[in-house]
Structures are given as structure tokens and as C-alpha cells.
Amino acid sequence: MESFLQIAPHSLAIVLARDGGAEAPAAAGVSESEELPRHHTGYEIFADFKAENSQQHIWNQRIIEAVAETFFLGWIDEHVLLIQGKENHLEVLREGWMRRSLNPPRGFTIKCLGDVSPISMSPISQSQFIPLGEVLLLAVSAMNSVHKPVTREALTEHLQTCFPGQGRA
């Protein structure tokens, strides 16, 4: 029985919401050129999250250091940013959230922040069996690539070399 692998330990989920609606910039008297940037990937949103928390926290070096040491894990359902880091850095981000001093990426608000339980993965083992037809095709292809004539004897020898101890060919 294979053991479970723990994926994404020491991770946080940051649930985001877009600021306002589609007509918010026009309603606020903001021109299209001043409109907030549209993010295309989760990594771009993560990069903006890091930038917003690196530039705005000159007074809090702990947040700057913690944000710098986090890594992008994923972007789920177009509003959940998954980040990973050392436990002490994640604790600083949790404290920043609780004290309302953690900044969202531009164009977003942070709805909530929370710990992600490690994801368990049970590896699926591969069979040791390779279908005979596939083995023969691979062997003939390998012999053809080195311009070796494929005879019964040559094929048997090739199979015994490539698959020793597998029985008689």
C-alpha cells in the first residue's frame, strides 16, 4: 500500500472580489485610461498583491519580508489566490489580515483569508506489464533506427538485451 503525499503544506487561501461593477470607473468620473488594470492570470494578480504589500508597508518591515518570501501556488475559480511560504511568514500575513493592514491587489478587495489544509494525494502506481505488441513495435523501431536488419534471431537478442530476466522471447 502506497503512502499518501501531502501537497501544498503551509498554504493560505486569499478570497478576492473585484472592486465595484463594470460601470464603476465611469460612475466615479474616472476615464478609461485611468481605469484599473485587468489581470489576465492568477500569477499577475499574485505579483500585484506582492507589489501592493511591498510598497505600502514601509512602516511594517515584517509584512514586506513575509510577502517577499511567499510563493504563488494557484488561482482557483477566478477569485481564490493560493500562496505558500514558511510558517512564520504566513503568520505575519494572518496578523496583517486580522489587523486590517494587508492590502489587496489593485482592483480587488480581500473578502477573507484562511489556512489551507494540506491536500492528500494517493499516487497511482503503474503496471510492470507492457503489452507485447507495444514491446515488439518499440524493438523493431529501435532496430530500424540503427539500420539493423530485423530477423527473428536479431529481435530475440534485442528483446533479451532490453528486457533481461523476462522469460524466453
Short mmCIF file of all heavy atoms in Angstrom, two decimals, residues 1-47:
data_model
loop_
_atom_site.label_atom_id
_atom_site.label_comp_id
_atom_site.label_asym_id
_atom_site.label_seq_id
_atom_site.Cartn_x
_atom_site.Cartn_y
_atom_site.Cartn_z
N MET A 1 0.85 -1.18 0.00
CA MET A 1 0.00 0.00 0.00
C MET A 1 0.89 1.24 0.00
O MET A 1 1.78 1.37 0.82
CB MET A 1 -0.89 -0.01 1.23
CG MET A 1 -1.83 1.15 1.29
SD MET A 1 -2.96 0.87 2.66
CE MET A 1 -3.68 2.47 2.75
N GLU A 2 0.65 2.13 -0.93
CA GLU A 2 1.46 3.33 -1.04
C GLU A 2 0.98 4.38 -0.06
O GLU A 2 -0.20 4.48 0.25
CB GLU A 2 1.39 3.86 -2.47
CG GLU A 2 1.84 2.84 -3.48
CD GLU A 2 2.66 3.48 -4.57
OE1 GLU A 2 3.13 4.60 -4.39
OE2 GLU A 2 2.81 2.81 -5.59
N SER A 3 1.92 5.20 0.44
CA SER A 3 1.54 6.23 1.38
C SER A 3 0.98 7.45 0.64
O SER A 3 1.21 7.63 -0.54
CB SER A 3 2.76 6.64 2.20
OG SER A 3 3.75 7.17 1.34
N PHE A 4 0.26 8.26 1.37
CA PHE A 4 -0.30 9.48 0.80
C PHE A 4 0.78 10.54 0.78
O PHE A 4 1.63 10.62 1.67
CB PHE A 4 -1.47 9.98 1.65
CG PHE A 4 -2.70 9.14 1.51
CD1 PHE A 4 -2.95 8.09 2.38
CD2 PHE A 4 -3.60 9.41 0.50
CE1 PHE A 4 -4.09 7.31 2.24
CE2 PHE A 4 -4.74 8.63 0.36
CZ PHE A 4 -4.99 7.59 1.23
N LEU A 5 0.76 11.37 -0.25
CA LEU A 5 1.68 12.50 -0.33
C LEU A 5 0.93 13.75 0.10
O LEU A 5 -0.24 13.93 -0.25
CB LEU A 5 2.17 12.68 -1.77
CG LEU A 5 2.99 11.56 -2.36
CD1 LEU A 5 3.32 11.87 -3.82
CD2 LEU A 5 4.28 11.37 -1.58
N GLN A 6 1.58 14.60 0.87
CA GLN A 6 0.98 15.86 1.29
C GLN A 6 1.38 16.94 0.29
O GLN A 6 2.55 17.19 0.08
CB GLN A 6 1.45 16.24 2.69
CG GLN A 6 1.00 15.27 3.77
CD GLN A 6 -0.50 15.28 3.95
OE1 GLN A 6 -1.13 16.31 4.03
NE2 GLN A 6 -1.08 14.09 4.01
N ILE A 7 0.40 17.56 -0.32
CA ILE A 7 0.63 18.60 -1.30
C ILE A 7 0.15 19.93 -0.71
O ILE A 7 -0.89 19.99 -0.07
CB ILE A 7 -0.12 18.30 -2.61
CG1 ILE A 7 0.40 16.98 -3.18
CG2 ILE A 7 0.03 19.43 -3.62
CD1 ILE A 7 -0.37 16.50 -4.38
N ALA A 8 0.92 20.97 -0.93
CA ALA A 8 0.59 22.34 -0.51
C ALA A 8 0.53 22.53 1.00
O ALA A 8 -0.38 23.15 1.52
CB ALA A 8 -0.70 22.80 -1.17
N PRO A 9 1.54 22.02 1.74
CA PRO A 9 1.57 22.36 3.16
C PRO A 9 1.96 23.83 3.32
O PRO A 9 2.52 24.43 2.40
CB PRO A 9 2.63 21.43 3.73
CG PRO A 9 3.55 21.20 2.59
CD PRO A 9 2.68 21.21 1.36
N HIS A 10 1.66 24.42 4.44
CA HIS A 10 1.99 25.82 4.72
C HIS A 10 1.44 26.74 3.63
O HIS A 10 2.18 27.45 2.96
CB HIS A 10 3.50 26.01 4.89
CG HIS A 10 4.12 25.10 5.88
ND1 HIS A 10 3.88 25.21 7.23
CD2 HIS A 10 4.94 24.04 5.72
CE1 HIS A 10 4.55 24.26 7.86
NE2 HIS A 10 5.19 23.53 6.97
N SER A 11 0.12 26.69 3.49
CA SER A 11 -0.52 27.47 2.43
C SER A 11 -1.67 28.30 2.99
O SER A 11 -2.30 27.93 3.96
CB SER A 11 -1.09 26.54 1.35
OG SER A 11 -0.08 25.73 0.84
N LEU A 12 -1.90 29.42 2.30
CA LEU A 12 -3.04 30.28 2.62
C LEU A 12 -3.88 30.47 1.37
O LEU A 12 -3.35 30.49 0.26
CB LEU A 12 -2.57 31.67 3.08
CG LEU A 12 -1.90 31.82 4.42
CD1 LEU A 12 -1.47 33.26 4.64
CD2 LEU A 12 -2.83 31.38 5.54
N ALA A 13 -5.18 30.61 1.58
CA ALA A 13 -6.10 30.98 0.51
C ALA A 13 -6.54 32.40 0.78
O ALA A 13 -6.94 32.74 1.90
CB ALA A 13 -7.29 30.04 0.46
N ILE A 14 -6.47 33.23 -0.25
CA ILE A 14 -6.95 34.61 -0.15
C ILE A 14 -8.12 34.73 -1.11
O ILE A 14 -7.94 34.62 -2.33
CB ILE A 14 -5.84 35.62 -0.50
CG1 ILE A 14 -4.62 35.41 0.39
CG2 ILE A 14 -6.36 37.04 -0.40
CD1 ILE A 14 -3.40 36.23 -0.01
N VAL A 15 -9.31 34.90 -0.56
CA VAL A 15 -10.51 35.01 -1.38
C VAL A 15 -10.69 36.47 -1.74
O VAL A 15 -10.79 37.34 -0.86
CB VAL A 15 -11.75 34.46 -0.65
CG1 VAL A 15 -13.00 34.58 -1.52
CG2 VAL A 15 -11.52 33.01 -0.23
N LEU A 16 -10.71 36.74 -3.05
CA LEU A 16 -10.78 38.11 -3.55
C LEU A 16 -12.13 38.38 -4.21
O LEU A 16 -12.80 37.46 -4.66
CB LEU A 16 -9.67 38.35 -4.57
CG LEU A 16 -8.24 38.13 -4.09
CD1 LEU A 16 -7.27 38.19 -5.27
CD2 LEU A 16 -7.87 39.16 -3.04
N ALA A 17 -12.48 39.66 -4.28
CA ALA A 17 -13.65 40.10 -5.04
C ALA A 17 -13.22 41.34 -5.82
O ALA A 17 -12.44 42.15 -5.31
CB ALA A 17 -14.80 40.44 -4.11
N ARG A 18 -13.72 41.46 -7.04
CA ARG A 18 -13.41 42.65 -7.84
C ARG A 18 -14.05 43.86 -7.19
O ARG A 18 -15.16 43.79 -6.68
CB ARG A 18 -13.92 42.49 -9.26
CG ARG A 18 -13.09 41.51 -10.04
CD ARG A 18 -13.02 41.93 -11.50
NE ARG A 18 -12.18 41.01 -12.23
CZ ARG A 18 -10.89 41.24 -12.49
NH1 ARG A 18 -10.32 42.34 -12.11
NH2 ARG A 18 -10.19 40.35 -13.16
N ASP A 19 -13.32 44.98 -7.22
CA ASP A 19 -13.88 46.23 -6.73
C ASP A 19 -15.00 46.68 -7.64
O ASP A 19 -14.82 46.75 -8.85
CB ASP A 19 -12.81 47.33 -6.71
CG ASP A 19 -11.98 47.30 -5.45
OD1 ASP A 19 -12.40 46.67 -4.47
OD2 ASP A 19 -10.90 47.92 -5.46
N GLY A 20 -16.16 47.00 -7.09
CA GLY A 20 -17.26 47.58 -7.86
C GLY A 20 -17.69 46.75 -9.04
O GLY A 20 -17.26 45.64 -9.26
N GLY A 21 -18.56 47.32 -9.86
CA GLY A 21 -19.06 46.65 -11.06
C GLY A 21 -18.33 47.15 -12.29
O GLY A 21 -17.42 47.95 -12.22
N ALA A 22 -18.79 46.73 -13.44
CA ALA A 22 -18.16 47.11 -14.70
C ALA A 22 -18.31 48.59 -14.98
O ALA A 22 -17.47 49.20 -15.61
CB ALA A 22 -18.78 46.30 -15.84
N GLU A 23 -19.41 49.22 -14.47
CA GLU A 23 -19.59 50.63 -14.74
C GLU A 23 -19.04 51.52 -13.64
O GLU A 23 -19.19 52.72 -13.67
CB GLU A 23 -21.07 50.96 -14.99
CG GLU A 23 -22.02 50.65 -13.85
CD GLU A 23 -22.44 49.18 -13.78
OE1 GLU A 23 -22.40 48.48 -14.79
OE2 GLU A 23 -22.80 48.74 -12.68
N ALA A 24 -18.39 50.96 -12.65
CA ALA A 24 -17.88 51.75 -11.52
C ALA A 24 -16.90 52.84 -11.94
O ALA A 24 -17.02 53.97 -11.46
CB ALA A 24 -17.25 50.83 -10.49
N PRO A 25 -15.90 52.61 -12.82
CA PRO A 25 -14.99 53.68 -13.17
C PRO A 25 -15.71 54.86 -13.82
O PRO A 25 -15.43 56.01 -13.51
CB PRO A 25 -14.01 53.03 -14.16
CG PRO A 25 -14.03 51.58 -13.81
CD PRO A 25 -15.46 51.34 -13.39
N ALA A 26 -16.67 54.61 -14.71
CA ALA A 26 -17.38 55.69 -15.37
C ALA A 26 -18.25 56.44 -14.38
O ALA A 26 -18.34 57.67 -14.42
CB ALA A 26 -18.23 55.13 -16.51
N ALA A 27 -18.89 55.71 -13.47
CA ALA A 27 -19.76 56.35 -12.49
C ALA A 27 -18.95 57.21 -11.53
O ALA A 27 -19.44 58.22 -11.03
CB ALA A 27 -20.55 55.29 -11.71
N ALA A 28 -17.71 56.85 -11.27
CA ALA A 28 -16.88 57.60 -10.34
C ALA A 28 -16.16 58.75 -11.03
O ALA A 28 -15.37 59.44 -10.41
CB ALA A 28 -15.86 56.67 -9.70
N GLY A 29 -16.42 58.95 -12.33
CA GLY A 29 -15.78 60.03 -13.06
C GLY A 29 -14.35 59.72 -13.46
O GLY A 29 -13.56 60.62 -13.69
N VAL A 30 -14.00 58.44 -13.55
CA VAL A 30 -12.65 58.03 -13.93
C VAL A 30 -12.67 57.69 -15.41
O VAL A 30 -13.54 56.96 -15.87
CB VAL A 30 -12.21 56.79 -13.11
CG1 VAL A 30 -10.84 56.32 -13.55
CG2 VAL A 30 -12.22 57.12 -11.63
N SER A 31 -11.71 58.23 -16.15
CA SER A 31 -11.67 57.94 -17.58
C SER A 31 -11.18 56.52 -17.81
O SER A 31 -10.60 55.90 -16.92
CB SER A 31 -10.74 58.93 -18.29
OG SER A 31 -9.40 58.66 -17.97
N GLU A 32 -11.40 56.01 -19.04
CA GLU A 32 -10.97 54.65 -19.36
C GLU A 32 -9.47 54.48 -19.23
O GLU A 32 -8.99 53.43 -18.86
CB GLU A 32 -11.41 54.27 -20.78
CG GLU A 32 -12.89 53.98 -20.85
CD GLU A 32 -13.29 53.45 -22.20
OE1 GLU A 32 -12.49 52.71 -22.81
OE2 GLU A 32 -14.39 53.77 -22.66
N SER A 33 -8.70 55.54 -19.53
CA SER A 33 -7.24 55.43 -19.44
C SER A 33 -6.77 55.30 -18.00
O SER A 33 -5.70 54.78 -17.73
CB SER A 33 -6.57 56.63 -20.11
OG SER A 33 -6.95 57.82 -19.44
N GLU A 34 -7.59 55.78 -17.05
CA GLU A 34 -7.22 55.69 -15.63
C GLU A 34 -7.82 54.45 -14.97
O GLU A 34 -7.62 54.22 -13.79
CB GLU A 34 -7.71 56.94 -14.89
CG GLU A 34 -7.05 58.21 -15.35
CD GLU A 34 -7.72 59.44 -14.77
OE1 GLU A 34 -8.93 59.36 -14.45
OE2 GLU A 34 -7.05 60.45 -14.62
N GLU A 35 -8.57 53.69 -15.75
CA GLU A 35 -9.23 52.50 -15.22
C GLU A 35 -8.21 51.52 -14.66
O GLU A 35 -7.10 51.41 -15.17
CB GLU A 35 -10.03 51.84 -16.34
CG GLU A 35 -11.00 50.80 -15.84
CD GLU A 35 -11.88 50.28 -16.97
OE1 GLU A 35 -12.23 51.07 -17.85
OE2 GLU A 35 -12.18 49.08 -16.94
N LEU A 36 -8.61 50.80 -13.62
CA LEU A 36 -7.72 49.81 -13.02
C LEU A 36 -7.37 48.73 -14.03
O LEU A 36 -8.19 48.37 -14.86
CB LEU A 36 -8.39 49.19 -11.79
CG LEU A 36 -8.61 50.15 -10.63
CD1 LEU A 36 -9.45 49.49 -9.56
CD2 LEU A 36 -7.29 50.63 -10.06
N PRO A 37 -6.15 48.19 -13.95
CA PRO A 37 -5.73 47.20 -14.93
C PRO A 37 -6.52 45.90 -14.81
O PRO A 37 -6.92 45.52 -13.72
CB PRO A 37 -4.26 46.96 -14.59
CG PRO A 37 -4.15 47.34 -13.15
CD PRO A 37 -5.14 48.44 -12.92
N ARG A 38 -6.76 45.28 -15.94
CA ARG A 38 -7.40 43.96 -15.96
C ARG A 38 -6.30 42.92 -15.85
O ARG A 38 -5.34 42.94 -16.60
CB ARG A 38 -8.14 43.75 -17.28
CG ARG A 38 -9.45 44.44 -17.33
CD ARG A 38 -10.47 43.51 -16.71
NE ARG A 38 -11.80 44.08 -16.85
CZ ARG A 38 -12.68 44.01 -15.90
NH1 ARG A 38 -12.42 43.46 -14.77
NH2 ARG A 38 -13.87 44.52 -16.09
N HIS A 39 -6.43 42.03 -14.90
CA HIS A 39 -5.45 40.96 -14.73
C HIS A 39 -5.86 39.80 -15.63
O HIS A 39 -7.03 39.51 -15.78
CB HIS A 39 -5.41 40.51 -13.27
CG HIS A 39 -5.01 41.60 -12.34
ND1 HIS A 39 -3.72 42.05 -12.23
CD2 HIS A 39 -5.72 42.35 -11.48
CE1 HIS A 39 -3.66 43.01 -11.34
NE2 HIS A 39 -4.87 43.22 -10.87
N HIS A 40 -4.86 39.15 -16.19
CA HIS A 40 -5.15 38.05 -17.09
C HIS A 40 -4.89 36.69 -16.46
O HIS A 40 -5.53 35.72 -16.81
CB HIS A 40 -4.33 38.19 -18.37
CG HIS A 40 -4.64 39.46 -19.10
ND1 HIS A 40 -5.81 39.66 -19.78
CD2 HIS A 40 -3.94 40.61 -19.22
CE1 HIS A 40 -5.83 40.87 -20.30
NE2 HIS A 40 -4.71 41.47 -19.98
N THR A 41 -3.95 36.60 -15.55
CA THR A 41 -3.64 35.31 -14.93
C THR A 41 -3.57 35.47 -13.42
O THR A 41 -3.38 36.58 -12.90
CB THR A 41 -2.29 34.76 -15.42
OG1 THR A 41 -1.23 35.61 -14.93
CG2 THR A 41 -2.24 34.65 -16.94
N GLY A 42 -3.71 34.34 -12.74
CA GLY A 42 -3.58 34.36 -11.28
C GLY A 42 -2.21 34.82 -10.85
O GLY A 42 -2.06 35.50 -9.82
N TYR A 43 -1.18 34.49 -11.64
CA TYR A 43 0.16 34.90 -11.26
C TYR A 43 0.30 36.42 -11.31
O TYR A 43 0.97 37.01 -10.47
CB TYR A 43 1.23 34.24 -12.14
CG TYR A 43 2.61 34.54 -11.63
CD1 TYR A 43 3.13 33.83 -10.55
CD2 TYR A 43 3.38 35.56 -12.17
CE1 TYR A 43 4.38 34.13 -10.04
CE2 TYR A 43 4.62 35.87 -11.67
CZ TYR A 43 5.12 35.15 -10.60
OH TYR A 43 6.35 35.45 -10.08
N GLU A 44 -0.35 37.06 -12.28
CA GLU A 44 -0.31 38.53 -12.36
C GLU A 44 -0.99 39.14 -11.14
O GLU A 44 -0.52 40.15 -10.60
CB GLU A 44 -0.97 39.02 -13.64
CG GLU A 44 -0.19 38.69 -14.89
CD GLU A 44 -0.94 39.01 -16.17
OE1 GLU A 44 -2.20 38.99 -16.18
OE2 GLU A 44 -0.26 39.27 -17.17
N ILE A 45 -2.08 38.54 -10.70
CA ILE A 45 -2.77 39.03 -9.51
C ILE A 45 -1.88 38.85 -8.28
O ILE A 45 -1.77 39.73 -7.43
CB ILE A 45 -4.13 38.33 -9.35
CG1 ILE A 45 -5.03 38.75 -10.51
CG2 ILE A 45 -4.77 38.65 -8.00
CD1 ILE A 45 -6.28 37.94 -10.66
N PHE A 46 -1.21 37.70 -8.20
CA PHE A 46 -0.28 37.45 -7.10
C PHE A 46 0.86 38.48 -7.11
O PHE A 46 1.22 39.03 -6.07
CB PHE A 46 0.29 36.04 -7.21
CG PHE A 46 1.40 35.74 -6.26
CD1 PHE A 46 1.16 35.63 -4.89
CD2 PHE A 46 2.70 35.57 -6.71
CE1 PHE A 46 2.18 35.36 -4.00
CE2 PHE A 46 3.73 35.29 -5.83
CZ PHE A 46 3.47 35.19 -4.47
N ALA A 47 1.42 38.74 -8.29
CA ALA A 47 2.51 39.72 -8.40
C ALA A 47 2.03 41.10 -7.95
O ALA A 47 2.76 41.83 -7.26
CB ALA A 47 3.03 39.77 -9.83
#
